[in-house]
Amino acid sequence: MAPKKTAKRAKPAKKATRKTAKRAPKKAAAKNVKYVYSFGKQTDGDATMRELLGGKGANLAEMAKIGLPVPPGFTITTDVCTYYYANGRTYPTTLQKEMEEAVAKMEKQMGTKFGATDGMPLLVAVRSGARDSMPGMMDTILNLGLNDASVEALTKATDNPRFAWDCYRRFIQMYGDVVLGVQKAEGEDVEPFEGVIEHYKHEVYGEDIIDSSLTAEDQQELVKRFKALVKERTGQGFPEDPWDQLRGAAGAVFGSWMNDRAIVYRQKYGIPSEWGTAVNVQAMVFGNTGETSGSGVAFTRNPANGANEFYGEFLVNAQGEDVVAGVRTPEPVAKLKDVMPKSYAELLKVRKKLEKHFRDVQDVEFTIQEGKLYMLQTRNGKRTAAAALKFAVDMVKEKLITWETAVLRNPADQLDQLLAPIFDTAEVKKAKVLSTGLPAGPGAAAGKIYFNAERAVDAAKKNEKVLLVRVETSPEDLRGMIAADGILTARGGVSSHAALVARQMGKVCVCGASALQINYDDKTLTVGKNVFHEGDFLSIDGTTGDVFAGKIETAPSEIIDGLINGKKTAQKTEKYESYMQLMEWCSKATRMDVRTNADTPEQTKNAIAFGASGIGLTRTEHMFFEGDRIDAMREMILADTLEDRQKALKKLLPYQRKDFAGIFRALKGLPATIRLLDPPLHEFLPHTKEQQMDLARTLDIKVEKIMQRVAELHEFNPMLGFRGCRLAICYPEIAEMQARAIFEAAAQVTKKGIPAKPEVMVPLVGFKKELDEQVAIIKRVAAEVEEKKGVKLDYTVGTMIEVPRGALTADQIAETAEFFSFGTNDLTQTTLGMSRDDTGSFLGAYQEKEILTANPFASIDQTGVGQLVKIAIEKGRATRPNIKLGICGEHGGDPASVKFCHNAGLSYVSCSPFRVPVARLAAAQAAILEKRAAKAAKKAAKKK
Ligand code: ADP
Ligand code: MG
Ligand code: MG
């Protein structure tokens, strides 16, 4: 009956309060600060004021400004939230007076009075509103202003006692829960208010009748019992004074900014806690007055697949929260055409106006009161990557946006959703459809089913593929949803909590699969005669809504199939064509190249299909592990004399040459940065006794010798040990062999008419002399090969910048190096003094305490590591103005890091093949944003 979005009462968040307190002025200058912004007939704010008014408040103001039917109200600014936490949860002294003035304006426009005991009372909704919407995190209170006297006035004014008491009953329930904290205690199964209702129904009707058949008298009695419950639980009476109610509700909204779930959400999306939330107070309009009223939510276009169709749902005779609560199953919004044709026509006009004004797809909330339409909210609609792509391409065609804007509208970190696998069509035909729900988050997922978030998280930790299966989800399930590969619910529509969150996280989701019967106690899922237990496999298709028994194999997406596999049918799909269009725009905008990290011809080919313009990093050590090469490698490591070492290296040379030739052929003339041997040698030796015995037999040497060498090579800090160029400083013959393999392969391929462009890269250089030594060898070998093969080689020699000393002495190093490639993995390790593989034990705590906002090995630490990069760029260019600069760490595929690289002036980033599209998009976006910023700056300068 009641909205599901009950919230835990905000725990006093001491930590956070202290933190905010430091930043905010102790007593904010109360005098000239405006804390309250009205909207309605007279509107103070607009859409640009998100920081101050929050997203909801700013857009309510904007809608009011462009003449849409918005019930009047006001927004209490985020400044008040900051003040509230900085001053021991108190308010600025001028706030009350400003609120009174704003309420007076509402009263005037509505012709009602706040707390009226005679005539129509003004009821208000108290709504939170952070800068960015945080689904399900904040708590809305409806029908505020009612008390024992004003409910009588409402009854009289509307001549509808059932409606009036229904409002009052809902209000006490919401307020009791959210503000007064009357909630399910440990061990209690039912929400206390729900318990009262259930008990009452059985007592009076002997069964669990539906809510809408409760009479006015029933509601009246429930109000009485609710109040008794509040008294019993809190020791205090329910507040009768509307102003007390209003202040209490606003306090609860500010308080909920620091509740556990809000904190978890902010952490996941990197929203700083000091932003704060605004509070919106708005005149109530009523969707629950009867059959000519209703409430709904809609997207101006389909946010799952991007289709240009009005998409959403509504409920007749309902207050807004009922729609998203998943209690009654709503009707598709198109049906409104039959039920309330006039309101529907008006809604369609609003749809058009909104898109034209905001130039983006909108997610709206509306209520119809006795045939009259009111808009309660609009925001840019959350969308899947597939929808984002189609919106962008379509809106360019419709001339609503430019192609540059279209590029910006595709979130780079979501793009890989488009590349995600789909179910194999042949497999799907064979599979058994158990049920079909609503397709709420596209893609294909197969996994073991888990019925609660905690167990889903545990299973995911064990690397299981997980489907979280719930009757419906609530914000408490957030952790489980993050851990799961797919989400399946039995109840709830396309705007339910599960659908909303899944779309945002890019999770596969099927919701409202009503044939599923879930028993949490037995941990079973029953569909007809089939019973599934926790841990059994199911497969869900979030594009069609189908739920299948068992595990279905997945197949590549059309984009992968078209690009990598060259499938003609895939290339004709709209998705493929739109993707290609987007990438064409990216090429047009970008300044940076995107290269790839690849060690094989196969990987190279894939990356080029994705648009890579070369290889930024080939790790040669990967080539030493295959087949019997590893034996030759080990022989080299175990050799006692230079002669023996050279003998072993000679065996390795043909392998390497072949590998390089394959890569050069796949590159068809694009450049390849090839890194000389980097890892510590002990990584190549066997460590178990058994393996050591095997090797001894193969090489025909004593096992003791191997054991001794393993012991010799043991290091306390291998990451900082005998590795990188240090290997070839001690054993120059290794560099010599590798250089020979590279150049002979290049010569071979060049002779066949394919240009080869090796860029030989020396790793882990901290001293110019280290590099000098290696370069001398490399150049000598190159000359020898040129002479012997009669080919002119097209090559360069450079280094990785991956230790701080290398960055700090980049001016010296650039005297020898023709290029720098920032090895940001090691540079992060050595700058932070943190071993990447050992951060597991403390990284969580660091992020929780916001010492680090992101994992520095995933997204570059711009302030620290970034500074070294900038220093190296500056110093490198001072010595060699045309020095080529790139990055080859994992960061090359992270959108924020790519943007950093663009702004730092690098000429390319390099990332794993399947991240190339993401990096291309991020690089293009960085270029467009830079251009826009420059334009804006120029305009601002002109104004001055
Ligand atoms: P959320 O951020 O969770 O969407 P909202 O503040 O938008 O919370 O409120 C939730 C629902 O409450 C809305 O969808 C709407 O139906 C209802 N509601 C909010 N304000 C009003 C209002 N002024 N009149 C009637 N219903 C409202
Ligand atoms: Mg809310
Ligand atoms: Mg809303």
Side-chain angles (χ1 to χ4, degrees):
M1 158 179 250
K4 268 283 167 292
K5 314 187 317 168
T6 49
K8 289 212 184 79
R9 183 132 74 136
K11 293 209 178 86
K14 286 219 189 78
K15 243 191 318 185
T17 312
R18 234 185 292 127
K19 204 187 310 161
T20 322
K22 243 185 280 160
R23 244 167 259 136
K26 183 71 189 148
K27 288 278 173 203
K31 259 187 207 148
N32 299 318
V33 184
K34 181 174 164 67
Y35 288 116
V36 170
Y37 285 70
S38 287
F39 54 85
K41 272 225 170 78
Q42 179 219 318
T43 300
D44 305 336
D46 63 46
T48 62
M49 300 168 72
R50 298 176 69 86
E51 283 181 27
L52 191 63
L53 303 180
K56 200 179 285 169
N59 277 359
L60 279 169
E62 188 76 15
M63 282 203 293
K65 269 213 158 128
I66 63 172
L68 293 179
V70 177
F74 61 88
T75 303
I76 306 171
T77 67
T78 53
D79 281 352
V80 177
C81 187
T82 310
Y83 183 101
Y84 178 78
Y85 281 109
N87 294 279
R89 301 195 175 220
T90 59
Y91 300 101
T93 44
T94 50
L95 182 63
Q96 176 67 21
K97 189 162 163 276
E98 281 193 63
M99 292 210 304
E100 280 167 18
E101 285 164 12
V103 166
K105 279 183 207 157
M106 289 162 72
E107 290 174 335
K108 197 163 163 224
Q109 191 178 327
M110 296 294 288
T112 55
K113 206 151 179 51
F114 195 46
T117 50
D118 194 20
M120 182 73 179
L122 170 69
L123 304 190
V124 300
V126 178
R127 318 170 61 187
S128 68
R131 205 182 295 187
D132 282 316
S133 77
M134 293 169 54
M137 289 297 145
M138 299 293 180
D139 320 304
T140 294
I141 292 158
L142 303 180
N143 310 324
L144 187 142
L146 280 174
N147 55 28
D148 290 346
S150 62
V151 72
E152 298 292 355
L154 183 63
T155 304
K156 221 162 147 207
T158 58
D159 197 22
N160 191 343
R162 217 196 78 82
F163 157 76
W165 285 97
D166 181 42
C167 288
Y168 195 20
R169 195 265 312 156
R170 283 170 188 262
F171 168 54
I172 296 176
Q173 186 165 358
M174 279 190 232
Y175 195 94
D177 172 357
V178 174
V179 183
L180 305 176
V182 178
Q183 287 166 0
K184 210 158 61 175
E186 288 274 338
E188 244 177 328
D189 285 338
V190 199
E191 302 287 342
F193 290 109
E194 288 297 326
V196 171
I197 296 171
E198 239 170 74
H199 186 85
Y200 178 82
K201 283 179 183 168
H202 281 275
E203 183 187 307
V204 177
Y205 295 94
E207 58 174 333
D208 198 2
I209 59 163
I210 57 167
D211 293 353
S212 49
S213 24
L214 291 173
T215 64
E217 288 69 34
D218 291 333
Q219 302 279 15
Q220 197 165 353
E221 177 59 25
L222 283 172
V223 163
K224 220 156 108 194
R225 295 190 185 190
F226 278 7
K227 286 186 156 186
L229 176 71
V230 168
K231 182 96 204 225
E232 178 198 315
R233 292 278 175 120
T234 66
Q236 269 158 16
F238 193 86
E240 286 281 317
D241 177 358
W243 280 101
D244 284 345
Q245 294 173 354
L246 185 53
R247 277 185 297 263
V253 174
F254 290 137
S256 69
W257 180 249
M258 287 297 178
N259 77 23
D260 289 348
R261 286 192 318 247
I263 291 171
V264 167
Y265 183 90
R266 282 200 294 273
Q267 256 163 21
K268 174 152 171 64
Y269 291 98
I271 299 169
S273 56
E274 54 269 23
W275 279 9
T277 181
V279 177
N280 299 295
V281 178
Q282 186 179 36
M284 281 297 299
V285 288
F286 302 100
N288 56 333
T289 60
E291 295 305 305
T292 55
S293 301
S295 186
V297 296
F299 284 79
T300 54
R301 300 185 193 204
N302 185 320
N305 63 20
N308 190 352
E309 66 195 7
F310 201 30
Y311 178 94
E313 45 205 15
F314 77 102
L315 275 174
V316 170
N317 196 9
Q319 270 199 341
E321 294 267 304
D322 299 346
V323 183
V324 281
V327 182
R328 280 159 64 191
T329 298
E331 302 271 3
V333 74
K335 274 253 177 82
L336 203 55
K337 195 176 169 187
D338 308 330
V339 194
M340 300 175 210
K342 238 186 81 217
S343 310
Y344 185 67
E346 207 183 336
L347 195 55
L348 284 185
K349 262 192 220 146
V350 171
R351 171 190 179 215
K352 203 152 187 195
K353 190 161 181 176
L354 281 171
E355 275 204 351
K356 208 160 168 206
H357 184 75
F358 286 96
R359 292 175 188 276
D360 198 356
V361 171
Q362 296 296 298
D363 166 1
V364 300
E365 295 175 7
F366 62 90
T367 282
I368 297 166
Q369 177 177 337
E370 271 135 40
K372 165 107 186 70
L373 173 73
Y374 292 96
M375 299 309 295
L376 297 179
Q377 187 170 342
T378 191
R379 60 186 164 196
N380 293 337
K382 296 251 153 61
R383 58 205 67 181
T384 63
L389 179 60
K390 185 161 162 50
F391 290 168
V393 172
D394 283 353
M395 286 189 149
V396 171
K397 279 189 205 140
E398 294 162 33
K399 299 205 160 61
L400 275 176
I401 57 174
T402 62
W403 67 266
E404 286 100 332
T405 301
V407 170
L408 295 176
R409 287 277 170 85
N410 287 272
D413 51 7
Q414 270 185 30
L415 193 70
D416 46 8
Q417 273 181 40
L418 289 175
L419 312 178
I422 51 183
F423 283 133
D424 186 301
T425 20
E427 292 277 322
V428 167
K429 278 205 186 110
K430 279 186 269 164
K432 177 174 171 167
V433 180
L434 288 175
S435 167
T436 301
L438 297 165
K448 292 188 180 177
I449 56 174
Y450 286 90
F451 296 110
N452 91 6
E454 207 174 299
R455 294 194 298 273
V457 169
D458 287 345
K461 272 194 195 143
K462 289 184 217 139
N463 279 328
E464 284 179 18
K465 292 257 169 223
V466 169
L467 293 187
L468 180 68
V469 180
R470 301 283 296 164
V471 175
E472 56 201 301
T473 63
S474 69
E476 276 94 350
D477 296 321
L478 201 60
R479 284 194 171 95
M481 298 172 86
I482 293 170
D485 290 280
I487 298 154
L488 172 62
T489 69
R491 255 197 265 160
V494 289
S495 49
S496 64
H497 178 263
L500 228 73
V501 175
R503 264 201 299 277
Q504 194 174 8
M505 299 199 294
K507 296 273 174 184
V508 178
C509 176
V510 172
C511 61
S514 50
L516 310 185
Q517 283 187 315
I518 296 165
N519 186 326
Y520 288 139
D521 292 334
D522 298 348
K523 298 189 191 139
T524 57
L525 167 69
T526 311
V527 196
K529 285 188 197 128
N530 303 290
V531 182
F532 300 89
H533 297 270
E534 193 157 277
D536 288 350
F537 267 104
L538 286 188
S539 301
I540 58 173
D541 185 333
T543 313
T544 62
D546 288 334
V547 181
F548 303 95
K551 183 180 174 181
I552 301 180
E553 291 307 320
T554 51
S557 95
E558 295 96 319
I559 295 169
I560 301 284
D561 232 13
L563 280 175
I564 307 279
N565 309 333
K567 269 234 187 89
K568 288 271 169 343
T569 46
Q571 290 169 353
K572 290 204 182 97
T573 59
E574 189 186 356
K575 190 164 157 194
Y576 180 89
E577 283 177 351
S578 300
Y579 169 84
M580 294 306 275
Q581 172 66 264
L582 175 65
M583 285 298 135
E584 195 188 307
W585 287 331
C586 286
S587 299
K588 205 151 104 179
T590 199
R591 177 182 62 65
M592 271 198 304
D593 277 341
V594 174
R595 292 193 185 188
T596 193
N597 299 350
D599 309 334
T600 67
E602 171 84 13
Q603 291 171 6
T604 308
K605 247 188 275 164
N606 290 347
I608 291 174
F610 281 130
S613 57
I615 288 181
L617 176 64
T618 290
R619 297 177 168 95
T620 51
E621 58 270 19
H622 289 181
M623 301 172 176
F624 290 126
F625 281 98
E626 258 170 62
D628 43 2
R629 306 166 175 206
I630 186 69
D631 289 338
M633 184 68 184
R634 287 166 172 172
E635 191 182 323
M636 191 275 291
I637 297 169
L638 292 164
D640 289 321
T641 63
L642 173 64
E643 233 178 21
D644 285 350
R645 223 169 8 254
Q646 277 171 335
K647 216 172 84 195
L649 283 166
K650 227 182 193 151
K651 290 187 196 167
L652 285 169
L653 180 96
Y655 291 127
Q656 287 240 288
R657 190 173 48 212
K658 193 165 157 239
D659 288 340
F660 292 137
I663 287 173
F664 291 142
R665 274 195 294 270
L667 279 169
K668 297 191 180 117
L670 296 172
T673 306
I674 299 170
R675 179 178 71 186
L676 300 184
L677 192 64
D678 182 53
L681 295 181
H682 77 96
E683 281 190 13
F684 297 97
L685 289 180
H687 288 90
T688 69
K689 182 87 197 224
E690 237 165 66
Q691 293 168 328
Q692 291 174 349
M693 304 266 277
D694 273 353
L695 183 64
R697 238 168 284 136
T698 315
L699 299 182
D700 196 19
I701 53 172
K702 284 210 179 101
V703 73
E704 286 76 21
K705 166 145 197 195
I706 299 174
M707 288 161 65
Q708 184 200 340
R709 190 77 178 119
V710 168
E712 278 168 18
L713 287 173
H714 169 81
E715 292 178 308
F716 291 104
N717 280 313
M719 180 191 92
L720 301 175
F722 187 29
R723 55 166 293 213
C725 65
R726 296 161 199 170
L727 295 168
I729 292 286
C730 298
Y731 304 125
E733 53 280 11
I734 298 179
E736 169 149 4
M737 181 280 283
Q738 291 201 294
R740 195 171 300 281
I742 292 168
F743 293 132
E744 287 183 359
Q748 199 182 79
V749 173
T750 309
K751 272 191 178 169
K752 289 259 159 69
I754 306 167
K757 293 204 181 101
E759 301 167 343
V760 184
M761 179 159 76
V762 179
L764 215 72
V765 166
F767 301 83
K768 172 176 181 285
K769 259 194 120 177
E770 286 174 319
L771 184 62
D772 290 347
E773 285 235 349
Q774 312 273 299
V775 170
I777 297 171
I778 294 161
K779 290 207 162 153
R780 171 174 56 78
V781 173
E784 284 169 21
V785 173
E786 282 185 328
E787 158 105 32
K788 205 166 123 200
K789 306 279 173 193
V791 185
K792 180 94 193 85
L793 293 169
D794 183 5
Y795 77 98
T796 54
V797 189
T799 184
M800 264 175 117
I801 299 291
E802 52 185 335
V803 297
R805 195 181 194 284
L808 296 172
T809 59
D811 48 344
Q812 297 170 18
I813 292 174
E815 284 168 18
T816 312
E818 293 170 278
F819 64 85
F820 287 166
S821 176
F822 291 95
T824 48
N825 296 344
D826 269 315
L827 192 58
T828 301
Q829 299 202 88
T830 50
T831 301
L832 271 57
M834 282 181 189
S835 146
R836 178 180 60 181
D837 302 323
D838 299 315
T839 49
S841 46
F842 57 87
L843 196 62
Y846 270 60
Q847 282 179 270
E848 209 155 289
K849 295 187 189 237
E850 294 183 17
I851 298 172
L852 285 167
T853 45
N855 179 347
F857 294 101
S859 196
I860 200 165
D861 158 38
Q862 300 189 10
T863 359
V865 176
Q867 203 175 137
L868 280 173
V869 171
K870 284 182 186 156
I871 290 170
I873 291 174
E874 195 176 309
K875 293 199 161 195
R877 281 202 178 129
T879 305
R880 191 186 288 267
N882 292 326
I883 191 163
K884 195 160 191 192
L885 302 162
I887 171 185
C888 62
E890 292 302 311
H891 300 99
D894 166 64
S897 309
V898 171
K899 192 170 169 205
F900 167 81
C901 292
H902 172 96
N903 293 336
L906 296 189
S907 40
Y908 69 86
V909 297
S910 188
C911 58
S912 61
F914 279 73
R915 295 297 286 180
V916 167
V918 173
R920 287 181 68 193
L921 179 56
Q925 289 175 342
I928 292 169
L929 288 174
E930 185 186 52
K931 219 158 125 196
R932 289 198 174 173
K935 214 166 154 187
K938 213 164 142 194
K939 213 166 150 192
K942 230 184 203 165
K943 245 188 194 164
K944 266 188 190 165

